[in-house]
Amino acid sequence: MSFRIAFACLLFVFSACHSGPETPTFKEVFLHDDRKAEGFFHPRLPEDALQALDSGWMYLASDSLPGIDREWPDRFLEPQPVSLPHRLPLPNHSLWYRWEGMLKPGVLLIDADDGVQCWLNGTRIRRAEEGDYFVVPASGKTELGLRVVNNAMSGGLRQVHFLSQADYLAWQEKRDQIREGFLADRKMELLQDPEHLKKCEELPFPELKERLAEYPILFTEPVLIWGTAGIPFIRWVSESAGTALLRTEGGEVLRVASSDGVFTQQVNPGETFSFDLHQNKSYQGNFSLTAPDPSEANIRMALWGDSQGGWKTFRKIADSIRSKQVDLSIGAGDLVNNGSEAWAYPRFLQLLSRMQTPQLLVPGNHDYDGYYDDLQARQLHHYLFLPETPTFAMQVFGPLAILSLDPNVNFPVSIPEGTRQREWLEKQMQSEAWQNARWKMLLLHQPPYSQGWPAYAGEWTIRQLLEPFFHQGLVDLVVAGHTHDYERLSLEFSGNSVHFLVVGGAGGGLEPQGEQSQAPQMDRLIKKHHYGILQVDSTRMQFNAYDLDGNTLDEFTAKK
């Protein structure tokens, strides 16, 4: 009854004063009202049913031993009682905790930086398949052991909540009902056909849902991504699986099938692909996307990193990048705030589409959140990569070779000897394509040098890995994020100049003003949201950093 009343009110308002847009998208459904959108994406848990486990914890120890798979240590030297939240500035460490008390069947909701592994009465239990929580199967005295896996600057155990099985199932059901009602409200708003609208008004909610299933269907707008296999592809997300029809400018009709609503259409480098997009009875719109031509003599790129769920700020940056009319947009990791959230990547893709330019993306540690059982970031791969392709690659665009790395596949963050990525990296560094490139750029999330976070000088494993290549003259520019600010540094290695950029200000919370490391001394350090534009030709690299208002924060030029 409540849904029908809501719809009747909506229909009166919309028929009187609103004509909806022609192209329903995820942007319109979820982001047209940020307050409602947050309720959809992050529905509140029942506070009266939540049991906060914020006391009684023992902090046992920390270590930096490598490997994501660990046994519970036999003993700890000096356990210390702590209350939550508990955080320490120990990047690339495992932090160990223990709690004892009485629990009944239910779920544990654990907020930890960056991820967590759980032992229940001495036995390792895995994260639930359905979500970011751990199942407690039986009642009684319980000992919890937690290993917090910290990849960032500061990390630790923020909070732990317990929710009984019955309360959790009831919350899931209520959450799904709220989301279904939210979607139906917006679909009614988007309807263009008066007859269809009138019929929908008369239906009970279960039949209304079924009638709205084919029209309107909700989409993210298509985005062109430059794949790590060197294959550019168009990616969009629909609320419905099935077959989409692409009608090209030449009259050809392409059928693109998806079993889960994530759609992919490959294109050729240098190709402009224009098409109308249809699915069932819904028309998404007309789109024209151009993949860069690798043979062009110069390239103009946007550089940014750490959008990290700061959607309002990232929307401004996306719109500013669109106005710069770049050939390629490069995202230096921490693309979302929590890589295991159900709607994180569709939201991210919709904002990327505002740039109206191809994307080259590398993962950050937050893109792996929720996957600390095996460090296989399933949603990241599913939404942003082609199947069976790695998260690292070497691409050449005119005078510029870009080698993108992903040290997040290891713990601690690194690319150690004997791994597939390390062997690939060393091979690429000696390849003809890399050595003959006029300019050579490394792209990764964690910076080798950084000053903006207290007690963090950059990633020492990355410095160890890359400095031999710097001395050999095999790198001109390193672009990273991770530290939420803008930083620039130029250094000489055996007479070879290497420039370093940290562009971590695309949305995530900024590093604290007035707090920084003593070393290294960066040439520029600015704690503002920003993005950069890099233009490269055969003789010059020109870089400009801009704030949200379009003001120039910094610029530099390198010449050959």
Side-chain angles (χ1 to χ4, degrees):
M1 179 64 71
S2 60
F3 283 124
R4 294 300 307 281
I5 292 172
F7 291 149
C9 294
L10 283 168
L11 287 171
F12 176 79
V13 174
F14 296 151
S15 60
C17 63
H18 184 84
S19 60
E22 295 290 339
T23 56
T25 67
F26 272 119
K27 169 189 63 179
E28 291 160 339
V29 176
F30 300 132
L31 302 180
H32 73 293
D33 184 325
D34 286 311
R35 182 180 58 82
K36 284 185 179 179
E38 285 308 306
F40 180 92
F41 291 117
H42 305 290
R44 294 178 67 87
L45 287 157
E47 293 185 8
D48 56 341
L50 279 174
Q51 178 184 350
L53 307 183
D54 52 9
S55 61
W57 287 94
M58 299 294 291
Y59 171 62
L60 305 175
S62 67
D63 66 66
S64 58
L65 297 177
I68 197 62
D69 290 318
R70 295 282 299 278
E71 298 292 330
W72 186 260
D74 292 335
R75 58 178 179 165
F76 298 95
L77 295 178
E78 296 181 6
Q80 302 172 13
V82 295
S83 295
L84 305 188
H86 179 256
R87 302 183 78 215
L88 295 170
L90 288 173
N92 292 319
H93 276 68
S94 297
L95 310 177
W96 301 84
Y97 298 85
R98 184 173 60 221
W99 178 91
E100 291 183 355
M102 300 295 292
L103 292 179
K104 55 186 178 181
V107 300
L108 289 167
L109 307 165
I110 303 172
D111 183 0
D113 287 334
D114 284 292
V116 67
Q117 296 175 352
C118 183
W119 282 259
L120 185 69
N121 296 326
T123 301
R124 172 87 182 273
I125 59 173
R126 301 281 172 165
R127 174 183 178 272
E129 288 287 337
E130 310 82 47
D132 203 356
Y133 59 86
F134 297 87
V135 175
V136 177
S139 299
K141 186 176 181 180
T142 305
E143 179 183 277
L144 295 178
L146 301 182
R147 176 199 180 196
V148 175
V149 180
N150 177 35
N151 273 331
M153 278 74 93
S154 288
L157 192 55
R158 292 178 180 270
Q159 57 184 357
V160 180
H161 286 99
F162 175 82
L163 194 59
S164 73
Q165 188 177 50
D167 287 331
Y168 187 73
L169 292 174
W171 173 78
Q172 279 188 315
E173 183 177 358
K174 182 179 180 181
R175 175 201 64 190
D176 293 344
Q177 290 174 351
I178 291 171
R179 284 179 168 175
E180 287 175 353
F182 187 87
L183 292 177
D185 281 359
R186 185 55 177 149
K187 284 191 170 195
M188 293 286 282
E189 182 181 351
L190 291 168
L191 282 175
Q192 301 294 303
D193 183 348
E195 292 255 342
H196 191 25
L197 189 64
K198 184 177 180 181
K199 290 178 181 177
C200 288
E201 180 185 2
E202 300 166 352
L203 296 174
F205 187 67
E207 295 178 28
L208 176 68
K209 275 201 312 176
E210 185 176 346
R211 187 171 185 87
L212 291 174
E214 288 195 332
Y215 171 66
I217 291 175
L218 309 171
F219 296 78
T220 64
E221 295 181 29
V223 174
L224 196 152
I225 298 174
W226 196 278
T228 53
I231 303 171
F233 60 94
I234 297 171
R235 173 65 51 82
W236 70 97
V237 181
S238 167
E239 65 169 312
S240 299
T243 301
L245 297 181
L246 281 62
R247 302 181 186 275
T248 69
E249 276 188 331
E252 184 181 8
V253 177
L254 304 175
R255 300 174 66 87
V256 182
S258 170
S259 61
D260 57 10
V262 178
F263 287 82
T264 303
Q265 172 65 37
Q266 294 187 9
V267 297
N268 298 316
E271 175 184 1
T272 296
F273 189 71
S274 302
F275 60 98
D276 289 317
L277 177 56
H278 302 260
Q279 187 178 352
N280 294 349
K281 297 179 181 179
S282 289
Y283 169 59
Q284 167 68 354
N286 178 262
F287 302 93
S288 184
L289 302 170
T290 301
D293 185 347
S295 65
E296 289 290 337
N298 55 63
I299 185 166
R300 179 178 170 85
M301 298 171 291
L303 306 179
W304 52 271
D306 297 84
S307 39
Q308 202 173 325
W311 302 126
K312 289 183 180 179
T313 299
F314 189 50
R315 185 184 301 118
K316 292 179 181 177
I317 285 175
D319 291 343
S320 296
I321 289 173
R322 180 180 68 241
S323 71
K324 298 294 185 182
Q325 297 183 330
V326 296
D327 304 306
L328 187 66
S329 162
I330 291 181
D334 275 7
L335 311 171
V336 301
N337 188 52
N338 183 341
S340 64
E341 285 181 4
W343 297 97
Y345 286 106
R347 295 182 80 178
F348 173 68
L349 281 167
Q350 180 57 50
L351 289 178
L352 279 189
S353 72
R354 299 174 73 93
M355 296 185 190
Q356 297 181 8
T357 191
Q359 305 290 329
L360 195 161
L361 308 168
V362 297
N365 49 291
H366 279 286
D367 302 311
Y368 278 78
D369 279 1
Y371 297 101
Y372 284 83
D373 283 340
D374 55 13
L375 284 179
Q376 298 294 318
R378 293 170 186 80
Q379 289 214 112
L380 170 79
H381 285 267
H382 187 55
Y383 285 107
L384 301 184
F385 290 84
L386 291 174
E388 307 301 324
T389 57
T391 51
F392 49 88
M394 204 264 276
Q395 319 279 4
V396 177
F397 298 95
L400 177 68
I402 303 175
L403 203 154
S404 55
L405 300 173
D406 182 9
N408 304 282
V409 295
N410 300 292
F411 181 80
V413 164
S414 58
I415 305 176
E417 291 184 3
T419 60
R420 173 191 174 197
Q421 188 173 181
R422 178 63 168 268
E423 293 173 355
W424 170 87
L425 170 62
E426 291 172 349
K427 181 178 179 180
Q428 295 304 316
M429 282 288 177
Q430 302 305 318
S431 69
E432 184 177 344
W434 183 259
Q435 300 223 350
N436 288 344
R438 186 65 170 165
W439 298 98
K440 304 170 180 66
M441 180 175 111
L442 289 180
L443 171 65
L444 74 168
H445 180 61
Q446 287 85 357
Y449 302 97
S450 176
Q451 190 183 4
W453 183 267
Y456 180 70
E459 216 69 37
W460 71 270
T461 59
I462 302 302
R463 289 196 298 274
Q464 282 188 322
L465 170 68
L466 298 181
E467 283 183 356
F469 302 126
F470 300 159
H471 286 285
Q472 296 171 46
L474 293 175
V475 180
D476 298 302
L477 175 66
V478 181
V479 176
H482 200 47
T483 313
H484 292 190
D485 57 21
Y486 169 75
E487 302 185 40
R488 175 172 60 81
L489 176 66
S490 295
L491 294 174
E492 293 284 322
F493 296 86
S494 301
N496 299 298
S497 295
V498 184
H499 307 282
F500 301 89
L501 294 174
V502 176
V503 288
L510 295 171
E511 306 300 358
Q513 292 285 353
E515 298 182 29
Q516 59 197 47
S517 297
Q518 294 301 310
Q521 289 291 319
M522 306 300 281
D523 297 334
R524 291 286 278 164
L525 170 58
I526 303 172
K527 296 187 177 183
K528 283 188 175 184
H529 290 296
H530 66 277
Y531 68 96
I533 300 294
L534 177 68
Q535 187 147 338
V536 184
D537 60 31
S538 61
T539 62
R540 188 179 69 154
M541 284 195 307
Q542 173 67 44
F543 177 78
N544 292 79
Y546 299 96
D547 66 13
L548 295 182
D549 297 319
N551 301 310
T552 299
L553 295 176
D554 186 36
E555 58 185 332
F556 84 90
T557 302
K559 296 181 178 180
K560 285 191 178 182

